[in-house]
Amino acid sequence: MRPPVLGMLGLLVLIPGWLGLTQAEVVTPQAVDSAYEWDLPAGFPLPYVPPDNPMSSSKVELGRHLFYDTRLSANNTQSCASCHQPALAFTDGRAQAVGSSGEVLPRSALSLTNAAYNLTYNWANPTLTRIEEQLVLPLFSEHPVEMGVSGHEAAILQRLAEDARYRTLFAQAFPEADEVFTFEHIIAALASFTRTLISGDSPYDAFLRGDRTAISEAAQRGLKLFFSETLKCHHCHGGFNLSLASRTAYWTIQQDIFFNTGLYNLPPDGRYPEANTGLYAFTGQEEDMGRFRPPTLRNIALTAPYMHDGSIATLEGVIRFYSEGGRDNPQQSDLISGFGLSAQDMSDLIAFLESLTDSAFIHDPRFGNPW
């Protein structure tokens, strides 16, 4: 196959064959809210939006305010942005996220970059297929506590209702509701804002669109390595979103989207740490031990440390880990088999990954703190 220097529209057409996927299910395009105009990068498809939460500018703006508001946590100390900071591509720079009560979570905070295109949410939860479903966990979870809303719903809603700006924003976002201050509406607005966090204007994207000077020669060599059958990176991190686990308003890739990368190999029989068993926690099937969803690699240079538990500090460390073939876990994906890598190859591959940084995205005022 040719490397993906095809322009974004050509790239989308070639996704199934180029990635060796078994099937890409083309679905009937959803009805798009005519009141909302997407500002998508060139060649990007419309994201999937659930019919019961259509996009609107007023919901997006309400969601942006809520996203940065610590009043949404029970103890008034933490906002969504505490774990999802724009400068870090909407991550927090920690190996493991920390909740509003100080409790350390077992996994790192995933980037919200292009979350609108995720096929599932969280690192290894096959049941969460909508942002609305995912948001329930950080808000209401008690084990571990994140925002700590459970048991404090009335007090939090009262705080928001006392703010004149919120009274306007909620009324604009939900003009037909008898009661606008509800957690159902909060979740709908947060999900709408999160869907707008779309990144597709990196130097790599400019290169795909025909600007051969957009990335360095080193990054171009790294691109060829990334999409080679020697390294096989693209089998998990392919397509326009650089993640196999993607969907749009028009298609859903039908293929296994959880992988055991061999990060751990504990006795007996290749266990993972108890708090991080991956898909196994949901299925109880031994073959699912340690299987996690591959996140997008867009803005990856900003989201260290890496892996689901933040156990690898640098991009070089991640590449080294894969070049060594993981830790020979018995459930390890066949894609993780190791490869030779020179010092020049390492430098080139990192240059390519750094070319995925979208500076306009992380500085976009539409995504910034309105307070």
Side-chain angles (χ1 to χ4, degrees):
M1 290 291 177
R2 294 174 58 190
V5 186
L6 303 169
M8 291 304 293
L9 291 176
L11 180 59
L12 291 173
V13 170
L14 291 180
I15 280 174
W18 171 44
L19 293 184
L21 302 180
T22 55
Q23 181 183 1
E25 177 189 4
V26 178
V27 297
T28 302
Q30 63 189 65
V32 178
D33 184 357
S34 59
Y36 187 78
E37 294 185 9
W38 288 96
D39 183 14
L40 297 173
F44 268 47
L46 283 170
Y48 170 78
V49 178
D52 59 354
N53 188 24
M55 295 289 290
S56 73
S57 296
S58 56
K59 271 194 284 190
V60 170
E61 188 60 18
L62 171 60
R64 183 165 74 107
H65 281 74
L66 291 166
F67 186 85
Y68 287 96
D69 198 338
T70 60
R71 287 174 290 182
L72 200 53
S73 61
N75 60 9
N76 249 321
T77 64
Q78 191 171 57
S79 69
C80 302
S82 299
C83 292
H84 300 285
Q85 303 167 28
L88 299 177
F90 293 91
T91 59
D92 63 2
R94 298 175 182 267
Q96 295 169 255
V98 177
S100 59
S101 66
E103 185 173 359
V104 178
L105 280 62
R107 297 176 187 167
S108 62
L110 276 162
S111 171
L112 296 185
T113 298
N114 291 356
Y117 295 109
N118 286 354
L119 185 55
T120 63
Y121 293 88
N122 290 0
W123 281 99
N125 191 331
T127 70
L128 300 178
T129 60
R130 307 184 345 155
I131 298 175
E132 289 81 356
E133 297 165 346
Q134 188 279 330
L135 279 164
V136 172
L137 296 184
L139 287 171
F140 293 95
S141 174
E142 298 181 68
H143 305 286
V145 170
E146 296 186 51
M147 303 292 279
V149 168
S150 290
H152 303 275
E153 293 89 341
I156 292 171
L157 292 174
Q158 182 62 33
R159 285 179 208 162
L160 304 183
E162 290 172 354
D163 187 310
R165 189 187 307 193
Y166 271 136
R167 290 198 293 273
T168 298
L169 289 170
F170 272 87
Q172 291 173 340
F174 303 100
E176 298 179 2
D178 294 330
E179 175 55 61
V180 294
F181 286 95
T182 69
F183 270 95
E184 180 181 12
H185 289 162
I186 288 171
I187 288 172
L190 283 170
S192 295
F193 172 66
T194 302
R195 287 192 173 96
T196 69
L197 302 178
I198 293 175
S199 172
D201 195 22
S202 67
Y204 167 70
D205 294 295
F207 181 74
L208 287 182
R209 293 193 282 264
D211 182 355
R212 295 298 178 261
T213 66
I215 64 176
S216 66
E217 291 185 3
Q220 292 181 44
R221 292 192 299 269
L223 180 153
K224 292 178 181 178
L225 285 169
F226 184 91
F227 288 99
S228 71
E229 286 305 316
T230 300
L231 272 62
K232 302 184 176 71
C233 308
H234 63 287
H235 285 283
C236 292
H237 297 285
F240 76 98
N241 195 31
L242 296 172
S243 171
L244 177 64
S246 298
R247 75 182 301 183
T248 76
Y250 301 99
W251 52 260
T252 299
I253 289 177
Q254 298 294 295
Q255 178 154 317
D256 205 348
I257 61 165
F258 298 97
F259 299 89
N260 181 326
T261 61
L263 186 60
Y264 291 96
N265 188 8
L266 305 177
D269 304 321
R271 312 298 291 181
Y272 270 52
E274 189 60 33
N276 275 311
T277 56
L279 192 61
Y280 173 85
F282 293 89
T283 69
Q285 301 296 314
E286 286 300 320
E287 61 267 26
D288 290 331
M289 176 61 64
R291 295 176 65 199
F292 291 86
R293 174 176 65 86
T296 179
L297 294 189
R298 289 186 171 278
N299 300 301
I300 193 66
L302 303 177
T303 64
Y306 301 102
M307 316 308 275
H308 65 271
D309 58 355
S311 57
I312 301 182
T314 65
L315 285 175
E316 181 175 353
V318 173
I319 296 168
R320 188 74 61 198
F321 168 78
Y322 285 124
S323 72
E324 294 170 354
R327 297 192 171 96
D328 199 27
N329 186 288
Q331 306 299 339
Q332 187 170 309
S333 169
D334 292 341
L335 296 169
I336 313 299
S337 56
F339 45 82
L341 206 66
S342 68
Q344 183 66 64
D345 290 337
M346 174 69 78
S347 178
D348 291 346
L349 195 53
I350 290 175
F352 167 66
L353 294 173
E354 289 175 342
S355 80
L356 304 177
T357 300
D358 182 351
S359 296
F361 171 70
I362 63 173
H363 296 296
D364 195 322
R366 296 173 302 169
F367 308 145
N369 189 341
W371 296 102

